Amino acid sequence: MKSVLTHTVKELGLQLTIDDSNTDFSIIENQAMLLETATLMRIQVKIVEQGRNATATFFQ
């Protein structure tokens, strides 16, 4: 995940949004790890709950 974030967000300057609606991975259950990763990489992350699902958007 770090390499994808580095390339997409830091190098290309794009934002990256992930959605957990079609996977066993839960953004809410892994929120602490996602926030820590973003903090260590000095990028922003916005996590939005949508019922039982969530999205995380990473950006500069």
Side-chain angles (χ1 to χ4, degrees), residues 22-60:
N22 293 318
T23 182
D24 292 332
F25 178 83
S26 170
I27 289 174
I28 298 304
E29 289 177 11
N30 292 284
Q31 184 171 356
M33 182 268 302
L34 295 171
L35 292 170
E36 180 180 355
T37 299
T39 300
L40 291 171
M41 296 182 70
R42 294 189 172 127
I43 60 175
Q44 303 295 313
V45 63
K46 180 179 180 182
I47 297 174
V48 178
E49 288 186 65
Q50 301 168 335
R52 294 181 3 210
N53 301 318
T55 59
T57 301
F58 297 89
F59 56 96
Q60 292 264 13

